[in-house]
Amino acid sequence: MKSDVALVVTAFVVRVAVALRIDGIPLSRHPQYDSFEYLAWARHIAAGDFRWPIPPAHGPGYPFFLGALLAIGGGSLLFVRIVQALTGALTCLFLARAGERMFDAGSGCYAGFVLAIYAPLIWIDASILAEGLLLTLIAASLWCAVEAGASPASPRAAEATAPTPALV
């Protein structure tokens, strides 16, 4: 339990430090490419305009998440980055918990702390990109699956993927 708290705090502090550092960079204040498209759609959502762009360049999940954060945070990109830092820290925790369940406590803890200081993931979590939220959801799904006993080595996983006889 103490290692979980240390893991989340470490991952969160590192991500917030990066978010604060990149907040002053012009490219961060004026996102380009995918970040620009996400942000434009999210700003419309935050303003109450729920129409989809024509054609939609991306799926609606992250723009709606981002739009909610912009509405709550008064349009602040720094607020968005801090919340995303928290979701990134949770990604580390979910992976550590899944690793503990699938292997052992040491392996899970090690994997979580490596992920907490893994620079490419930190950058993604501090940027306006959907991949950070996606990785959090994937890690949460993995943790839920192994907690339910559906790890790859589990007989329940084999039963779930076994072909069912056809009804004739």
Side-chain angles (χ1 to χ4, degrees), residues 126-162:
S127 300
I128 307 297
L129 294 170
E131 288 79 4
L133 180 61
L134 175 65
L135 289 172
T136 301
L137 296 174
I138 290 171
S141 298
L142 175 64
W143 177 52
C144 288
V146 298
E147 283 297 317
S151 67
S154 167
R156 289 173 60 185
E159 291 171 8
T161 60

PDB file of all heavy atoms in Angstrom, residues 126-162:
ATOM      1  N   ALA A 126       1.603  14.891 -20.561  1.00  0.00           N
ATOM      2  CA  ALA A 126       1.629  16.348 -20.364  1.00  0.00           C
ATOM      3  C   ALA A 126       1.183  17.101 -21.616  1.00  0.00           C
ATOM      4  O   ALA A 126       1.092  18.328 -21.585  1.00  0.00           O
ATOM      5  CB  ALA A 126       3.032  16.795 -19.950  1.00  0.00           C
ATOM      6  N   SER A 127       0.922  16.398 -22.697  1.00  0.00           N
ATOM      7  CA  SER A 127       0.536  17.029 -23.963  1.00  0.00           C
ATOM      8  C   SER A 127      -0.953  16.848 -24.225  1.00  0.00           C
ATOM      9  O   SER A 127      -1.619  16.039 -23.591  1.00  0.00           O
ATOM     10  CB  SER A 127       1.328  16.405 -25.109  1.00  0.00           C
ATOM     11  OG  SER A 127       2.714  16.595 -24.920  1.00  0.00           O
ATOM     12  N   ILE A 128      -1.446  17.596 -25.185  1.00  0.00           N
ATOM     13  CA  ILE A 128      -2.854  17.495 -25.577  1.00  0.00           C
ATOM     14  C   ILE A 128      -2.950  16.391 -26.633  1.00  0.00           C
ATOM     15  O   ILE A 128      -3.031  16.656 -27.831  1.00  0.00           O
ATOM     16  CB  ILE A 128      -3.377  18.848 -26.123  1.00  0.00           C
ATOM     17  CG1 ILE A 128      -3.118  19.974 -25.141  1.00  0.00           C
ATOM     18  CG2 ILE A 128      -4.855  18.746 -26.486  1.00  0.00           C
ATOM     19  CD1 ILE A 128      -3.824  19.834 -23.809  1.00  0.00           C
ATOM     20  N   LEU A 129      -2.904  15.161 -26.167  1.00  0.00           N
ATOM     21  CA  LEU A 129      -2.962  13.997 -27.048  1.00  0.00           C
ATOM     22  C   LEU A 129      -3.863  12.936 -26.430  1.00  0.00           C
ATOM     23  O   LEU A 129      -3.851  12.723 -25.217  1.00  0.00           O
ATOM     24  CB  LEU A 129      -1.562  13.419 -27.267  1.00  0.00           C
ATOM     25  CG  LEU A 129      -0.585  14.306 -28.033  1.00  0.00           C
ATOM     26  CD1 LEU A 129       0.819  13.732 -27.973  1.00  0.00           C
ATOM     27  CD2 LEU A 129      -1.039  14.465 -29.477  1.00  0.00           C
ATOM     28  N   ALA A 130      -4.597  12.232 -27.262  1.00  0.00           N
ATOM     29  CA  ALA A 130      -5.540  11.213 -26.801  1.00  0.00           C
ATOM     30  C   ALA A 130      -4.850   9.969 -26.265  1.00  0.00           C
ATOM     31  O   ALA A 130      -5.440   9.219 -25.490  1.00  0.00           O
ATOM     32  CB  ALA A 130      -6.480  10.826 -27.936  1.00  0.00           C
ATOM     33  N   GLU A 131      -3.610   9.735 -26.669  1.00  0.00           N
ATOM     34  CA  GLU A 131      -2.935   8.492 -26.302  1.00  0.00           C
ATOM     35  C   GLU A 131      -2.766   8.330 -24.795  1.00  0.00           C
ATOM     36  O   GLU A 131      -2.805   7.207 -24.286  1.00  0.00           O
ATOM     37  CB  GLU A 131      -1.574   8.410 -27.003  1.00  0.00           C
ATOM     38  CG  GLU A 131      -1.677   8.154 -28.481  1.00  0.00           C
ATOM     39  CD  GLU A 131      -2.015   9.375 -29.324  1.00  0.00           C
ATOM     40  OE1 GLU A 131      -2.101  10.491 -28.777  1.00  0.00           O
ATOM     41  OE2 GLU A 131      -2.200   9.197 -30.539  1.00  0.00           O
ATOM     42  N   GLY A 132      -2.611   9.425 -24.059  1.00  0.00           N
ATOM     43  CA  GLY A 132      -2.483   9.326 -22.603  1.00  0.00           C
ATOM     44  C   GLY A 132      -3.734   8.745 -21.964  1.00  0.00           C
ATOM     45  O   GLY A 132      -3.670   7.835 -21.139  1.00  0.00           O
ATOM     46  N   LEU A 133      -4.884   9.263 -22.362  1.00  0.00           N
ATOM     47  CA  LEU A 133      -6.150   8.737 -21.847  1.00  0.00           C
ATOM     48  C   LEU A 133      -6.360   7.298 -22.300  1.00  0.00           C
ATOM     49  O   LEU A 133      -6.809   6.454 -21.526  1.00  0.00           O
ATOM     50  CB  LEU A 133      -7.317   9.617 -22.306  1.00  0.00           C
ATOM     51  CG  LEU A 133      -8.704   9.191 -21.851  1.00  0.00           C
ATOM     52  CD1 LEU A 133      -8.807   9.202 -20.329  1.00  0.00           C
ATOM     53  CD2 LEU A 133      -9.764  10.087 -22.473  1.00  0.00           C
ATOM     54  N   LEU A 134      -6.006   7.016 -23.550  1.00  0.00           N
ATOM     55  CA  LEU A 134      -6.138   5.660 -24.071  1.00  0.00           C
ATOM     56  C   LEU A 134      -5.301   4.673 -23.255  1.00  0.00           C
ATOM     57  O   LEU A 134      -5.780   3.601 -22.882  1.00  0.00           O
ATOM     58  CB  LEU A 134      -5.725   5.616 -25.539  1.00  0.00           C
ATOM     59  CG  LEU A 134      -5.701   4.223 -26.183  1.00  0.00           C
ATOM     60  CD1 LEU A 134      -7.100   3.645 -26.238  1.00  0.00           C
ATOM     61  CD2 LEU A 134      -5.087   4.296 -27.570  1.00  0.00           C
ATOM     62  N   LEU A 135      -4.057   5.027 -22.960  1.00  0.00           N
ATOM     63  CA  LEU A 135      -3.201   4.135 -22.178  1.00  0.00           C
ATOM     64  C   LEU A 135      -3.738   3.938 -20.763  1.00  0.00           C
ATOM     65  O   LEU A 135      -3.639   2.839 -20.210  1.00  0.00           O
ATOM     66  CB  LEU A 135      -1.765   4.662 -22.148  1.00  0.00           C
ATOM     67  CG  LEU A 135      -1.026   4.544 -23.473  1.00  0.00           C
ATOM     68  CD1 LEU A 135       0.309   5.263 -23.393  1.00  0.00           C
ATOM     69  CD2 LEU A 135      -0.839   3.089 -23.862  1.00  0.00           C
ATOM     70  N   THR A 136      -4.321   4.976 -20.181  1.00  0.00           N
ATOM     71  CA  THR A 136      -4.930   4.832 -18.855  1.00  0.00           C
ATOM     72  C   THR A 136      -6.085   3.839 -18.908  1.00  0.00           C
ATOM     73  O   THR A 136      -6.202   2.960 -18.046  1.00  0.00           O
ATOM     74  CB  THR A 136      -5.425   6.187 -18.325  1.00  0.00           C
ATOM     75  OG1 THR A 136      -4.323   7.090 -18.261  1.00  0.00           O
ATOM     76  CG2 THR A 136      -6.059   6.050 -16.952  1.00  0.00           C
ATOM     77  N   LEU A 137      -6.927   3.959 -19.922  1.00  0.00           N
ATOM     78  CA  LEU A 137      -8.063   3.050 -20.047  1.00  0.00           C
ATOM     79  C   LEU A 137      -7.618   1.615 -20.335  1.00  0.00           C
ATOM     80  O   LEU A 137      -8.206   0.663 -19.809  1.00  0.00           O
ATOM     81  CB  LEU A 137      -9.022   3.555 -21.124  1.00  0.00           C
ATOM     82  CG  LEU A 137      -9.694   4.893 -20.823  1.00  0.00           C
ATOM     83  CD1 LEU A 137     -10.498   5.373 -22.022  1.00  0.00           C
ATOM     84  CD2 LEU A 137     -10.556   4.803 -19.576  1.00  0.00           C
ATOM     85  N   ILE A 138      -6.580   1.452 -21.140  1.00  0.00           N
ATOM     86  CA  ILE A 138      -6.059   0.109 -21.410  1.00  0.00           C
ATOM     87  C   ILE A 138      -5.466  -0.498 -20.143  1.00  0.00           C
ATOM     88  O   ILE A 138      -5.721  -1.671 -19.835  1.00  0.00           O
ATOM     89  CB  ILE A 138      -5.023   0.145 -22.555  1.00  0.00           C
ATOM     90  CG1 ILE A 138      -5.717   0.439 -23.884  1.00  0.00           C
ATOM     91  CG2 ILE A 138      -4.246  -1.157 -22.629  1.00  0.00           C
ATOM     92  CD1 ILE A 138      -4.760   0.712 -25.025  1.00  0.00           C
ATOM     93  N   ALA A 139      -4.687   0.286 -19.403  1.00  0.00           N
ATOM     94  CA  ALA A 139      -4.086  -0.224 -18.158  1.00  0.00           C
ATOM     95  C   ALA A 139      -5.173  -0.569 -17.141  1.00  0.00           C
ATOM     96  O   ALA A 139      -5.077  -1.585 -16.445  1.00  0.00           O
ATOM     97  CB  ALA A 139      -3.104   0.796 -17.585  1.00  0.00           C
ATOM     98  N   ALA A 140      -6.214   0.250 -17.049  1.00  0.00           N
ATOM     99  CA  ALA A 140      -7.325  -0.046 -16.137  1.00  0.00           C
ATOM    100  C   ALA A 140      -8.047  -1.321 -16.564  1.00  0.00           C
ATOM    101  O   ALA A 140      -8.410  -2.145 -15.715  1.00  0.00           O
ATOM    102  CB  ALA A 140      -8.303   1.126 -16.100  1.00  0.00           C
ATOM    103  N   SER A 141      -8.213  -1.502 -17.863  1.00  0.00           N
ATOM    104  CA  SER A 141      -8.856  -2.724 -18.372  1.00  0.00           C
ATOM    105  C   SER A 141      -8.019  -3.951 -18.062  1.00  0.00           C
ATOM    106  O   SER A 141      -8.551  -4.995 -17.666  1.00  0.00           O
ATOM    107  CB  SER A 141      -9.070  -2.617 -19.884  1.00  0.00           C
ATOM    108  OG  SER A 141      -9.920  -1.553 -20.182  1.00  0.00           O
ATOM    109  N   LEU A 142      -6.717  -3.843 -18.238  1.00  0.00           N
ATOM    110  CA  LEU A 142      -5.823  -4.961 -17.921  1.00  0.00           C
ATOM    111  C   LEU A 142      -5.905  -5.303 -16.442  1.00  0.00           C
ATOM    112  O   LEU A 142      -6.019  -6.472 -16.070  1.00  0.00           O
ATOM    113  CB  LEU A 142      -4.383  -4.611 -18.311  1.00  0.00           C
ATOM    114  CG  LEU A 142      -3.326  -5.649 -17.927  1.00  0.00           C
ATOM    115  CD1 LEU A 142      -3.559  -6.956 -18.681  1.00  0.00           C
ATOM    116  CD2 LEU A 142      -1.931  -5.107 -18.206  1.00  0.00           C
ATOM    117  N   TRP A 143      -5.875  -4.286 -15.605  1.00  0.00           N
ATOM    118  CA  TRP A 143      -5.945  -4.521 -14.160  1.00  0.00           C
ATOM    119  C   TRP A 143      -7.273  -5.183 -13.795  1.00  0.00           C
ATOM    120  O   TRP A 143      -7.300  -6.150 -13.031  1.00  0.00           O
ATOM    121  CB  TRP A 143      -5.769  -3.206 -13.406  1.00  0.00           C
ATOM    122  CG  TRP A 143      -5.893  -3.342 -11.929  1.00  0.00           C
ATOM    123  CD1 TRP A 143      -5.223  -4.217 -11.112  1.00  0.00           C
ATOM    124  CD2 TRP A 143      -6.754  -2.592 -11.078  1.00  0.00           C
ATOM    125  NE1 TRP A 143      -5.620  -4.039  -9.812  1.00  0.00           N
ATOM    126  CE2 TRP A 143      -6.553  -3.044  -9.760  1.00  0.00           C
ATOM    127  CE3 TRP A 143      -7.652  -1.568 -11.306  1.00  0.00           C
ATOM    128  CZ2 TRP A 143      -7.232  -2.509  -8.678  1.00  0.00           C
ATOM    129  CZ3 TRP A 143      -8.320  -1.031 -10.222  1.00  0.00           C
ATOM    130  CH2 TRP A 143      -8.112  -1.511  -8.929  1.00  0.00           C
ATOM    131  N   CYS A 144      -8.377  -4.699 -14.365  1.00  0.00           N
ATOM    132  CA  CYS A 144      -9.685  -5.313 -14.093  1.00  0.00           C
ATOM    133  C   CYS A 144      -9.727  -6.761 -14.567  1.00  0.00           C
ATOM    134  O   CYS A 144     -10.274  -7.629 -13.886  1.00  0.00           O
ATOM    135  CB  CYS A 144     -10.792  -4.514 -14.759  1.00  0.00           C
ATOM    136  SG  CYS A 144     -11.114  -2.921 -13.981  1.00  0.00           S
ATOM    137  N   ALA A 145      -9.134  -7.019 -15.729  1.00  0.00           N
ATOM    138  CA  ALA A 145      -9.146  -8.378 -16.268  1.00  0.00           C
ATOM    139  C   ALA A 145      -8.359  -9.333 -15.375  1.00  0.00           C
ATOM    140  O   ALA A 145      -8.828 -10.438 -15.094  1.00  0.00           O
ATOM    141  CB  ALA A 145      -8.570  -8.389 -17.681  1.00  0.00           C
ATOM    142  N   VAL A 146      -7.200  -8.924 -14.922  1.00  0.00           N
ATOM    143  CA  VAL A 146      -6.420  -9.838 -14.080  1.00  0.00           C
ATOM    144  C   VAL A 146      -7.026  -9.957 -12.689  1.00  0.00           C
ATOM    145  O   VAL A 146      -6.925 -11.014 -12.060  1.00  0.00           O
ATOM    146  CB  VAL A 146      -4.918  -9.464 -14.017  1.00  0.00           C
ATOM    147  CG1 VAL A 146      -4.287  -9.550 -15.378  1.00  0.00           C
ATOM    148  CG2 VAL A 146      -4.683  -8.117 -13.391  1.00  0.00           C
ATOM    149  N   GLU A 147      -7.677  -8.917 -12.208  1.00  0.00           N
ATOM    150  CA  GLU A 147      -8.363  -9.016 -10.920  1.00  0.00           C
ATOM    151  C   GLU A 147      -9.545  -9.971 -11.013  1.00  0.00           C
ATOM    152  O   GLU A 147      -9.890 -10.633 -10.047  1.00  0.00           O
ATOM    153  CB  GLU A 147      -8.826  -7.642 -10.432  1.00  0.00           C
ATOM    154  CG  GLU A 147      -7.730  -6.794  -9.852  1.00  0.00           C
ATOM    155  CD  GLU A 147      -7.103  -7.382  -8.606  1.00  0.00           C
ATOM    156  OE1 GLU A 147      -7.834  -7.891  -7.724  1.00  0.00           O
ATOM    157  OE2 GLU A 147      -5.868  -7.338  -8.513  1.00  0.00           O
ATOM    158  N   ALA A 148     -10.162 -10.034 -12.183  1.00  0.00           N
ATOM    159  CA  ALA A 148     -11.294 -10.940 -12.386  1.00  0.00           C
ATOM    160  C   ALA A 148     -10.839 -12.361 -12.660  1.00  0.00           C
ATOM    161  O   ALA A 148     -11.658 -13.251 -12.836  1.00  0.00           O
ATOM    162  CB  ALA A 148     -12.164 -10.432 -13.531  1.00  0.00           C
ATOM    163  N   GLY A 149      -9.533 -12.557 -12.744  1.00  0.00           N
ATOM    164  CA  GLY A 149      -9.014 -13.898 -12.970  1.00  0.00           C
ATOM    165  C   GLY A 149      -8.882 -14.264 -14.423  1.00  0.00           C
ATOM    166  O   GLY A 149      -8.792 -15.437 -14.756  1.00  0.00           O
ATOM    167  N   ALA A 150      -8.863 -13.285 -15.300  1.00  0.00           N
ATOM    168  CA  ALA A 150      -8.756 -13.568 -16.722  1.00  0.00           C
ATOM    169  C   ALA A 150      -7.352 -13.320 -17.244  1.00  0.00           C
ATOM    170  O   ALA A 150      -7.179 -12.863 -18.356  1.00  0.00           O
ATOM    171  CB  ALA A 150      -9.755 -12.717 -17.492  1.00  0.00           C
ATOM    172  N   SER A 151      -6.340 -13.633 -16.432  1.00  0.00           N
ATOM    173  CA  SER A 151      -4.964 -13.474 -16.909  1.00  0.00           C
ATOM    174  C   SER A 151      -4.706 -14.503 -17.991  1.00  0.00           C
ATOM    175  O   SER A 151      -5.394 -15.517 -18.082  1.00  0.00           O
ATOM    176  CB  SER A 151      -3.975 -13.632 -15.757  1.00  0.00           C
ATOM    177  OG  SER A 151      -3.984 -14.954 -15.286  1.00  0.00           O
ATOM    178  N   PRO A 152      -3.719 -14.272 -18.850  1.00  0.00           N
ATOM    179  CA  PRO A 152      -3.467 -15.198 -19.958  1.00  0.00           C
ATOM    180  C   PRO A 152      -3.240 -16.646 -19.513  1.00  0.00           C
ATOM    181  O   PRO A 152      -3.545 -17.567 -20.249  1.00  0.00           O
ATOM    182  CB  PRO A 152      -2.217 -14.628 -20.615  1.00  0.00           C
ATOM    183  CG  PRO A 152      -2.220 -13.191 -20.246  1.00  0.00           C
ATOM    184  CD  PRO A 152      -2.865 -13.113 -18.892  1.00  0.00           C
ATOM    185  N   ALA A 153      -2.740 -16.847 -18.291  1.00  0.00           N
ATOM    186  CA  ALA A 153      -2.478 -18.205 -17.817  1.00  0.00           C
ATOM    187  C   ALA A 153      -3.695 -18.820 -17.118  1.00  0.00           C
ATOM    188  O   ALA A 153      -3.656 -19.953 -16.681  1.00  0.00           O
ATOM    189  CB  ALA A 153      -1.292 -18.195 -16.858  1.00  0.00           C
ATOM    190  N   SER A 154      -4.770 -18.066 -17.012  1.00  0.00           N
ATOM    191  CA  SER A 154      -5.944 -18.510 -16.273  1.00  0.00           C
ATOM    192  C   SER A 154      -6.821 -19.447 -17.099  1.00  0.00           C
ATOM    193  O   SER A 154      -7.064 -19.200 -18.275  1.00  0.00           O
ATOM    194  CB  SER A 154      -6.765 -17.288 -15.855  1.00  0.00           C
ATOM    195  OG  SER A 154      -8.038 -17.664 -15.408  1.00  0.00           O
ATOM    196  N   PRO A 155      -7.346 -20.504 -16.485  1.00  0.00           N
ATOM    197  CA  PRO A 155      -8.281 -21.367 -17.205  1.00  0.00           C
ATOM    198  C   PRO A 155      -9.544 -20.624 -17.627  1.00  0.00           C
ATOM    199  O   PRO A 155     -10.132 -20.926 -18.650  1.00  0.00           O
ATOM    200  CB  PRO A 155      -8.615 -22.465 -16.203  1.00  0.00           C
ATOM    201  CG  PRO A 155      -7.621 -22.368 -15.118  1.00  0.00           C
ATOM    202  CD  PRO A 155      -7.036 -21.003 -15.169  1.00  0.00           C
ATOM    203  N   ARG A 156      -9.929 -19.583 -16.851  1.00  0.00           N
ATOM    204  CA  ARG A 156     -11.120 -18.820 -17.208  1.00  0.00           C
ATOM    205  C   ARG A 156     -10.910 -18.066 -18.512  1.00  0.00           C
ATOM    206  O   ARG A 156     -11.827 -17.896 -19.301  1.00  0.00           O
ATOM    207  CB  ARG A 156     -11.488 -17.853 -16.088  1.00  0.00           C
ATOM    208  CG  ARG A 156     -12.038 -18.599 -14.875  1.00  0.00           C
ATOM    209  CD  ARG A 156     -12.252 -17.716 -13.692  1.00  0.00           C
ATOM    210  NE  ARG A 156     -13.188 -16.637 -13.957  1.00  0.00           N
ATOM    211  CZ  ARG A 156     -13.446 -15.692 -13.074  1.00  0.00           C
ATOM    212  NH1 ARG A 156     -12.863 -15.695 -11.901  1.00  0.00           N
ATOM    213  NH2 ARG A 156     -14.299 -14.734 -13.357  1.00  0.00           N
ATOM    214  N   ALA A 157      -9.674 -17.606 -18.754  1.00  0.00           N
ATOM    215  CA  ALA A 157      -9.385 -16.920 -20.015  1.00  0.00           C
ATOM    216  C   ALA A 157      -9.492 -17.895 -21.174  1.00  0.00           C
ATOM    217  O   ALA A 157     -10.003 -17.553 -22.240  1.00  0.00           O
ATOM    218  CB  ALA A 157      -7.994 -16.293 -19.979  1.00  0.00           C
ATOM    219  N   ALA A 158      -9.028 -19.119 -20.968  1.00  0.00           N
ATOM    220  CA  ALA A 158      -9.122 -20.132 -22.021  1.00  0.00           C
ATOM    221  C   ALA A 158     -10.579 -20.467 -22.310  1.00  0.00           C
ATOM    222  O   ALA A 158     -10.969 -20.643 -23.467  1.00  0.00           O
ATOM    223  CB  ALA A 158      -8.354 -21.383 -21.615  1.00  0.00           C
ATOM    224  N   GLU A 159     -11.405 -20.538 -21.261  1.00  0.00           N
ATOM    225  CA  GLU A 159     -12.822 -20.813 -21.463  1.00  0.00           C
ATOM    226  C   GLU A 159     -13.500 -19.682 -22.226  1.00  0.00           C
ATOM    227  O   GLU A 159     -14.359 -19.930 -23.064  1.00  0.00           O
ATOM    228  CB  GLU A 159     -13.516 -20.987 -20.111  1.00  0.00           C
ATOM    229  CG  GLU A 159     -13.114 -22.241 -19.372  1.00  0.00           C
ATOM    230  CD  GLU A 159     -13.666 -22.241 -17.954  1.00  0.00           C
ATOM    231  OE1 GLU A 159     -14.468 -21.348 -17.601  1.00  0.00           O
ATOM    232  OE2 GLU A 159     -13.273 -23.145 -17.200  1.00  0.00           O
ATOM    233  N   ALA A 160     -13.096 -18.460 -21.938  1.00  0.00           N
ATOM    234  CA  ALA A 160     -13.717 -17.310 -22.592  1.00  0.00           C
ATOM    235  C   ALA A 160     -13.384 -17.249 -24.072  1.00  0.00           C
ATOM    236  O   ALA A 160     -14.178 -16.727 -24.864  1.00  0.00           O
ATOM    237  CB  ALA A 160     -13.271 -16.026 -21.908  1.00  0.00           C
ATOM    238  N   THR A 161     -12.234 -17.786 -24.456  1.00  0.00           N
ATOM    239  CA  THR A 161     -11.849 -17.716 -25.858  1.00  0.00           C
ATOM    240  C   THR A 161     -12.084 -19.023 -26.603  1.00  0.00           C
ATOM    241  O   THR A 161     -11.848 -19.110 -27.798  1.00  0.00           O
ATOM    242  CB  THR A 161     -10.361 -17.335 -25.991  1.00  0.00           C
ATOM    243  OG1 THR A 161      -9.577 -18.338 -25.315  1.00  0.00           O
ATOM    244  CG2 THR A 161     -10.095 -15.962 -25.411  1.00  0.00           C
ATOM    245  N   ALA A 162     -12.550 -20.049 -25.898  1.00  0.00           N
ATOM    246  CA  ALA A 162     -12.775 -21.345 -26.559  1.00  0.00           C
ATOM    247  C   ALA A 162     -13.979 -21.244 -27.488  1.00  0.00           C
ATOM    248  O   ALA A 162     -14.969 -20.573 -27.188  1.00  0.00           O
ATOM    249  CB  ALA A 162     -13.028 -22.415 -25.492  1.00  0.00           C
TER     250      ALA A 162
END
